[in-house]
Amino acid sequence: MRKLFLLGLTTLSVCVSCTQGGIAYKQPVFPVEEQARFILLTGELDYGVIEDIWETESYIVTLASEKRTHNFCHIYDKHTGELLGETFHRGRGPGEIMAGYGTFEVHNGTVRYFDFTKNSVFRFSVDSLLQQGSGAVEELKGDFLYGQRYRGTTGNYDVHLFIASGAEGDDAIREPRLKVTDKSGSVVSENDNYPEENQLANYANTYYVSLSPDGTKCAIVPCWSAVLELYDVPGLQPRHIGYFAGQEYECPTGNIKMTEKTVLHYADIYATDKSVYLASGGEVPVLVNQSLPEEERKLLCDKIDIFNWKGRALRRIVTDYRIRKLCVDAGGKHVYAIVQDRMGTSYLAYLEL
């Protein structure tokens, strides 16, 4: 594997503060800011909807709709980028998924996908899939609850994120925003904290959740505002909540309505036991950028922001691609990502930390 040369010098980012709706927002200050180039592992990927990426042993596992084969789950060699196997064909039959809407995770070589649309749980060993094909996929009946947007497992506990309906006065959802259950389904802890004062805006936003491998911590960020939430697991006590930038969008019906100021702050989050990694943007107005010719458009979410579990900003890496999804290997030495160039072409890539 070629060694990546990090370009640029160490700098100190400018701290910008503002107040919105009673909340004081302050941009994080990164003591280290540097530039890096991704190394591409694959040629062009014919991906449609891009959902997730994980690293395990010698493999990279992605969840993304492939336009030609209509498969959602793809296994690549981590070192060569060779496509080794695929599964999760689109459909309603056994072993098939209806849409890429659910929670996807890989632990110790085992893939688990909770398909919220089909209300099924899929599970398989990567090695078994490569040997047996889709016959290695086990499908179990799920217990999806209305309003659920995330369900991840720590091994001992399940962590749930719920988002209530966007309609004011809607009494259909009674679940707290965050909940931890044990393997019997019993509730261990709950937390009904939302990061913003505007509740409709909270409902409209999209949130990314990641659990630390040791199962003791949970990190959450939204797409359209910049708030980093860090919690202990299983107790859900807040470790830190960082308010970096407010919501520059409208939500008259509980759905996102962009304005000329709307920016995409985060595209993904990945947690290790020591740090939290964010695919970060926040500087490019989306609608203005889309109105430009393709060759003049700026990259969205081209940065990797790294924090510790106390919410301290450690490092910012400015890259040369838009980062759609990212993960970090067990040793904390490489970031693997699904990236896109300015033309929207997708690749599998990595960089050394």
Side-chain angles (χ1 to χ4, degrees):
M1 189 176 289
R2 290 188 293 147
K3 183 170 179 62
L4 178 64
F5 177 67
L6 293 178
L7 304 174
L9 299 175
T10 300
T11 62
L12 189 66
S13 63
V14 177
C15 179
V16 179
S17 300
C18 66
T19 300
Q20 177 179 312
I23 296 176
Y25 294 93
K26 185 176 182 180
Q27 288 289 337
V29 175
F30 292 91
V32 176
E33 183 171 336
E34 53 200 335
Q35 295 182 333
R37 294 183 179 275
F38 271 107
I39 296 175
L40 300 184
L41 277 169
T42 66
E44 297 181 7
L45 299 175
D46 199 12
Y47 281 174
V49 178
I50 298 170
E51 297 289 345
D52 213 342
I53 182 173
W54 284 76
E55 176 270 350
T56 180
E57 299 174 343
S58 299
Y59 310 113
I60 297 296
V61 187
T62 66
L63 184 71
S65 60
E66 215 286 341
K67 296 178 181 178
R68 294 170 298 170
T69 65
H70 301 290
N71 286 321
F72 274 84
C73 184
H74 320 279
I75 316 296
Y76 298 88
D77 184 291
K78 184 167 65 175
H79 305 292
T80 67
E82 178 186 359
L83 178 63
L84 302 175
E86 295 182 297
T87 190
F88 292 172
H89 192 80
R90 185 193 300 274
R92 297 177 180 269
E96 297 179 331
I97 70 173
M98 294 176 61
Y101 171 52
T103 298
F104 183 73
E105 55 189 13
V106 184
H107 297 298
N108 299 320
T110 297
V111 174
R112 181 178 179 269
Y113 177 61
F114 199 128
D115 185 343
F116 291 163
T117 305
K118 193 177 181 182
N119 197 10
S120 293
V121 179
F122 297 89
R123 186 172 58 204
F124 65 86
S125 158
V126 173
D127 288 333
S128 296
L129 180 82
L130 297 181
Q131 294 172 6
Q132 305 171 26
S134 291
V137 178
E138 178 185 16
E139 181 176 353
L140 306 172
K141 180 63 177 176
D143 57 349
F144 173 73
L145 298 174
Y146 180 70
Q148 191 166 46
R149 295 295 181 266
Y150 171 86
R151 179 185 295 189
T153 181
T154 69
N156 295 321
Y157 304 101
D158 285 346
V159 179
H160 313 255
L161 171 71
F162 295 88
I163 299 296
S165 167
E168 287 193 76
D170 188 348
D171 295 328
I173 301 301
R174 293 298 184 187
E175 296 288 345
R177 180 173 178 247
L178 291 169
K179 181 169 68 174
V180 173
T181 57
D182 61 21
K183 289 308 173 183
S184 70
S186 299
V187 176
V188 176
S189 61
E190 296 178 344
N191 187 317
D192 207 26
N193 175 63
Y194 278 86
E196 308 283 4
E197 291 184 338
N198 184 340
Q199 201 73 326
L200 276 179
N202 282 311
Y203 299 157
N205 218 329
T206 300
Y207 295 87
Y208 299 113
V209 185
S210 187
L211 305 177
S212 62
D214 64 10
T216 66
K217 299 176 286 290
C218 173
I220 306 173
V221 290
C223 278
W224 303 106
S225 57
V227 179
L228 174 62
E229 301 176 78
L230 305 177
Y231 298 92
D232 283 323
V233 175
L236 291 178
Q237 296 90 355
R239 299 173 64 94
H240 177 81
I241 299 180
Y243 290 93
F244 306 144
Q247 299 156 324
E248 295 289 354
Y249 58 86
E250 298 176 356
C251 47
T253 63
N255 295 316
I256 292 289
K257 181 180 178 181
M258 293 188 188
T259 71
E260 290 189 353
K261 295 182 179 179
T262 303
V263 298
L264 183 63
H265 283 280
Y266 299 118
D268 201 15
I269 186 171
Y270 190 85
T272 67
D273 291 337
K274 294 182 178 181
S275 305
V276 178
Y277 299 76
L278 308 178
S280 174
E283 298 173 352
V284 182
V286 175
L287 293 181
V288 175
N289 200 51
Q290 288 177 344
S291 68
L292 299 174
E294 287 184 333
E295 63 274 10
E296 297 180 16
R297 293 177 186 173
K298 297 181 180 179
L299 293 170
L300 305 178
C301 291
D302 60 341
K303 298 181 288 293
I304 300 170
D305 289 349
I306 306 173
F307 294 81
N308 68 15
W309 281 101
K310 294 182 179 180
R312 179 185 176 189
L314 301 178
R315 182 180 175 192
R316 167 170 282 181
I317 304 172
V318 182
T319 78
D320 55 342
Y321 281 87
R322 175 180 179 177
I323 305 167
R324 294 299 304 272
K325 298 296 170 184
L326 83 168
C327 65
V328 180
D329 63 16
K333 296 182 179 180
H334 301 89
V335 171
Y336 293 91
I338 303 172
V339 301
Q340 289 181 327
D341 59 22
R342 284 180 172 77
M343 307 300 288
T345 304
S346 299
Y347 306 88
L348 194 64
Y350 77 93
L351 60 78
E352 291 188 4
L353 291 169

